[in-house]
Amino acid sequence: MGFGPFLLLALLEGTVAAAVLALTAVGLSLVFGVMRVVNVAHGEFFMLGAVVAWFVAAAVPGHAAMGFMLALVVAPLVVAGVAALADWLVLKRLNYDPEATIVATIGLLYILQQSALTFFGPTPRPVEAPFTWRIQTPWFGYSGYKLFVVLAAIAILLAVWAFMTRTRAGLVMRATQVDRQTARAFGINVDRVYAGTFALGAGLAAVAAVLVVPVSQAHYLMGGDPLLLSFIVVIIGGLGSLRGTLVAALVIGLGDGVISMFFSPTLAKIIATLLVALVLVFRPQGLFGAKA
Amino acid sequence: MLWLEGVSAGYGGVTVLRDLSFAARAGEVICVMGRNGVGKTTLMKCIMGLVPATAGVVALDGEAMQALPAHEVPRRGIAYVPQGRRLFGPLTVAENLAVGLMARNKGEAVRERVLDLFPRLRERLTQVSSTLSGGEQQMLAIARALCLEPKVLLLDEPTEGLQPSMIAMIRDVVVGLRATGVATVLVEQRVSAVLGMADRVAFMDQGRVAEVLDCAGLQADAPQFRRYVGV
Ligand SMILES: Nc1ncnc2c1ncn2[C@@H]1O[C@H](COP(=O)(O)OP(=O)(O)OP(=O)(O)O)[C@@H](O)[C@H]1O
Ligand SMILES: [Mg+2]
């Protein structure tokens, strides 16, 4: 295979990574933007999505597509429910204090991870893809399912965008993000907005995980990379800026795909982390963030 | 009618309002005056439930509100124009108004009526509100509050930093509301502006309302202005 086709393959892989990363990072960005909570457990919500997807797929007999489709609906709902519960049990009681919630979500990270180890076990398990057809290029065959992942991610991101800009609930979330005290003075139940935002953020991570689990397997330690990459993306894009998050996800996802394929995944992570350091030094508000 | 009796409130260990009593009747404009830092803004926030009352009663039409969660207060019919406007800056003019309308489920008719009062906002519905001029921002802050069709309107220094023609316009709006039975509580530092629109003046001193005067016959050189406001 020549350089051209190899690059094409790398770009395809990068696009898939970018799509999944964008979904995950938008969830983290929403939670930080609206609630000012740095959710260190975000990667565990991702992991939980994959694990729940495995349980659902395993429980549904018949064609793999049935189980997968059900998982795509059930897993995000379950994970959103867990997040809403965590919000009510923990974050709300800390009054959403920015520092206290960091410590609390670190605790949540371990609780979720160890629960997964206990109930799901240490072995990685696959979820069967809903379909297996491949797209044939002159140089290599490529998974049609991976292209479906990209399209699904785009569709979900467009839906989130429409939700935030066109609906009442989205308006309420944006108003709360700007000024929670004034939002209260206009009848907005900020506690409910926060619970909903935390659930939505976690649900997005879970959707991303259900989409990737047929190509990567569910594992109780799988939350680490998505967390790290989401943080990188959110910092580069600008805290709380959805547009910045999307652009940064594309850059980091594609870069990660290409560099991983031509050099090594470790080098890709090193470069991404360096990029974060550069952004923090020269443009601390991120590429698209408003000045603090 | 808005009615406060024996209210205390503050921040952390510091008490700002001490045993404060105060009332605003339907269809009147009552001005609150007092020195900087006396607690006028705190009084507004306390009525809104944003600063909890540690003692006393805050009641609207006989219903005690001091124990309600803050977001229930505007739903009962109290609208707030905060000091410094506090618009939702990145949101458009239309979106700021939509937040106001949502509080009490008001619709198109109310929005039209509010925009009739502020035609300049109608021309700028899609403009991001932080890019409005200072005067336009104040109009929007008032319009957003009027979208609740409130029974009580709290205005915290709405004329701060505005030119005379803009102050006159705000006065016209406030005086117009009086006829519709709204109780308006206005924090205002300028004696001339107070005498131009208030029915009564409440002077704050040391965390309580020390004296309430009828504006009829009150002169700009009345000793109370010197004593409580230092003009
Ligand atoms: N969030 C807060 N935390 C602690 N103290 C506060 C807070 N807000 C106000 N204060 C204090 O409470 C007192 C009353 O403040 P407040 O803003 O109510 O005064 P004010 O009468 O509105 O003054 P001004 O005329 O300058 O607007 C001041 O001493 C102020 O420093
Ligand atoms: Mg004040």
Side-chain angles (χ1 to χ4, degrees):
Chain A
M1 205 156 67
F3 176 77
F6 202 51
L7 183 65
L8 176 65
L9 182 60
L11 285 175
L12 280 172
E13 288 291 298
T15 309
V16 176
V20 174
L21 180 55
L23 274 179
T24 317
V26 161
L28 187 71
S29 177
L30 267 179
V31 167
F32 179 79
V34 176
M35 307 169 67
R36 302 279 128 179
V37 165
V38 175
N39 180 18
V40 183
H42 195 64
E44 304 316 303
F45 288 137
F46 180 92
M47 176 276 293
L48 202 58
V51 166
V52 173
W54 181 85
F55 277 111
V56 172
V60 175
H63 194 279
M66 295 284 292
F68 177 82
M69 284 306 176
L70 195 65
L72 200 52
V73 177
V74 171
L77 287 179
V78 170
V79 173
V82 171
L85 192 69
D87 172 79
W88 181 66
L89 281 177
V90 183
L91 302 182
K92 186 177 165 185
R93 278 154 228 266
L94 297 172
N95 226 342
Y96 302 98
D97 176 80
E99 276 131 41
T101 49
I102 292 182
V103 180
T105 54
I106 292 175
L108 189 59
L109 179 158
Y110 285 113
I111 293 172
L112 293 175
Q113 203 175 76
Q114 294 306 308
S115 307
L117 177 61
T118 306
F119 296 105
F120 180 74
T123 27
R125 302 178 207 217
V127 169
E128 218 181 310
F131 54 86
T132 52
W133 47 266
R134 295 176 75 75
I135 292 169
Q136 202 52 52
T137 70
W139 313 281
F140 55 85
Y142 197 71
S143 156
Y145 175 74
K146 285 187 176 175
L147 293 183
F148 164 78
V149 169
V150 173
L151 294 179
I154 291 172
I156 294 165
L157 288 169
L158 284 175
V160 171
W161 191 281
F163 171 78
M164 290 302 289
T165 55
R166 304 252 186 278
T167 69
R168 246 175 103 104
L171 178 62
V172 164
M173 278 170 68
R174 286 183 292 138
T176 307
Q177 167 163 6
V178 179
D179 182 344
R180 71 163 137 167
Q181 190 177 65
T182 305
R184 274 206 183 95
F186 282 88
I188 292 175
N189 184 343
V190 169
D191 284 346
R192 240 172 53 194
V193 174
Y194 280 11
T197 303
F198 203 60
L200 177 62
L204 284 169
V207 171
V210 180
L211 288 174
V212 288
V213 77
V215 290
S216 78
Q217 299 198 331
H219 185 247
Y220 81 106
L221 289 176
M222 73 192 291
D225 271 4
L227 179 70
L228 176 66
L229 287 172
S230 296
F231 267 116
I232 289 174
V233 160
V234 169
I235 292 170
I236 292 178
L239 295 169
S241 156
L242 283 190
R243 187 179 323 157
T245 301
L246 288 177
V247 172
L250 205 62
V251 170
I252 295 296
L254 278 175
D256 196 71
V258 172
I259 296 169
S260 298
M261 188 153 294
F262 283 96
F263 303 99
S264 83
T266 313
L267 182 66
K269 302 281 183 301
I270 292 173
I271 291 180
T273 314
L274 267 178
L275 205 56
V276 168
L278 287 177
V279 166
L280 283 176
V281 170
F282 293 107
R283 208 179 147 78
Q285 74 271 31
L287 298 181
F288 289 79
K291 264 183 260 145
Chain B
M1 175 170 112
L2 176 70
W3 183 71
L4 284 78
E5 182 71 48
V7 169
S8 295
Y11 306 92
V14 187
T15 311
V16 177
L17 307 180
R18 279 190 196 83
D19 191 24
L20 177 145
S21 298
F22 173 82
R25 307 175 194 130
E28 80 164 342
V29 178
I30 181 162
C31 277
V32 176
M33 296 188 88
R35 292 172 196 275
N36 293 126
V38 76
K40 303 178 298 293
T41 298
T42 306
L43 170 62
M44 300 281 150
K45 289 187 176 169
C46 181
I47 295 170
M48 293 308 297
L50 299 171
V51 172
T54 50
V57 180
V58 179
L60 177 67
D61 294 337
E63 186 197 5
M65 295 192 307
Q66 71 277 0
L68 291 177
H71 64 265
E72 290 292 344
V73 173
R75 293 181 189 180
R76 297 290 194 284
I78 304 188
Y80 181 36
V81 178
Q83 186 167 18
R85 300 158 196 145
R86 309 243 335 222
L87 296 174
F88 300 113
L91 275 54
T92 64
V93 170
E95 286 171 335
N96 271 277
L97 295 176
V99 173
L101 291 166
M102 247 187 263
R104 304 187 77 203
N105 287 313
K106 302 295 177 184
E108 198 56 32
V110 173
R111 185 180 128 113
E112 285 306 304
R113 226 172 301 147
V114 169
L115 286 173
D116 286 343
L117 288 175
F118 302 100
R120 272 172 68 179
L121 293 179
R122 195 192 291 281
E123 300 157 13
R124 295 179 159 71
L125 286 173
T126 57
Q127 191 171 335
V128 172
S129 63
S130 61
T131 65
L132 294 171
S133 79
E136 289 161 356
Q137 292 194 13
Q138 192 58 263
M139 287 185 204
L140 179 55
I142 296 174
R144 179 178 65 172
L146 292 180
C147 282
L148 279 78
E149 282 207 312
K151 296 180 199 163
V152 177
L153 177 64
L154 309 180
L155 293 150
D156 196 349
E157 306 212 20
T159 63
E160 219 173 18
L162 298 186
Q163 67 194 36
S165 69
M166 202 64 86
I167 296 175
M169 156 164 209
I170 289 173
R171 186 190 58 220
D172 291 346
V173 170
V174 167
V175 170
L177 283 174
R178 174 161 48 192
T180 65
V182 175
T184 302
V185 181
L186 175 68
V187 176
E188 176 58 68
Q189 300 290 54
R190 249 171 301 233
V191 174
S192 62
V194 169
L195 293 177
M197 55 185 145
D199 298 301
R200 295 191 297 154
V201 197
F203 294 99
M204 278 184 76
D205 191 30
Q206 298 186 353
R208 48 158 60 89
V209 173
E211 199 168 339
V212 182
L213 290 182
D214 262 318
C215 276
L218 195 63
Q219 301 294 320
D221 58 0
Q224 282 84 357
F225 289 121
R226 182 180 304 273
R227 187 177 327 140
Y228 297 113
V229 195
V231 288

